[in-house]
Amino acid sequence: MSTVTRASLAEHIYTEVGLSRSESVALLEAVLETMAVALESGESVKISGFGTFMVRRKGQRSGRNPKTGVEIPILLRSVISFRPSHILRGAVNGESE
């Protein structure tokens, strides 16, 4: 099983769309930057047929150091979560529409 990387995505854009390699890299970087800026500002990013990236806020809670057993507070934080579309979920599970 292989991993999809920025380089492989840019190469795929180059072969499928016909842009130059440098234009393909620039297009990919622009899309990723747009997504990152939206997520940083708390917006969701929805890609139809693929899924939705969203920022969730996790509240403060207490945790415990497993080595010493000392209780420590875990501060408020934001996490990015991904919810796949039913189309992607079906494709991953081998279902056809």
Side-chain angles (χ1 to χ4, degrees), residues 24-45:
S24 298
V25 169
L27 174 64
L28 177 61
E29 291 300 324
V31 169
L32 294 176
E33 179 65 22
T34 301
M35 291 174 64
V37 167
L39 290 167
E40 286 170 6
S41 66
E43 297 176 55
S44 293
V45 176

Side-chain angles (χ1 to χ4, degrees), residues 61-66 69-74:
R61 60 189 174 95
S62 60
R64 195 173 296 276
N65 181 331
V70 174
E71 200 168 287
I72 56 170
I74 298 173

Side-chain angles (χ1 to χ4, degrees), residues 40-57:
E40 286 170 6
S41 66
E43 297 176 55
S44 293
V45 176
K46 182 174 185 173
I47 302 172
S48 181
F50 185 73
T52 304
F53 295 89
M54 62 197 98
V55 178
R56 290 185 328 139
R57 311 261 184 249

Side-chain angles (χ1 to χ4, degrees), residues 1-3 8 10-11 14 17 28 30 37 40 42 44-45 50 58 61 63 66-67 70-71 80 82 84 90-91 95:
M1 188 172 232
S2 63
T3 301
S8 66
E11 186 65 26
Y14 165 72
V17 179
L28 177 61
V37 167
E40 286 170 6
S44 293
V45 176
F50 185 73
K58 292 186 120 182
R61 60 189 174 95
K67 202 171 200 177
V70 174
E71 200 168 287
I80 298 173
F82 175 73
E95 301 165 5

Side-chain angles (χ1 to χ4, degrees), residues 9-28:
L9 287 172
E11 186 65 26
H12 192 72
I13 292 170
Y14 165 72
T15 58
E16 294 295 317
V17 179
L19 297 174
S20 71
R21 280 192 167 91
S22 61
E23 291 171 328
S24 298
V25 169
L27 174 64
L28 177 61

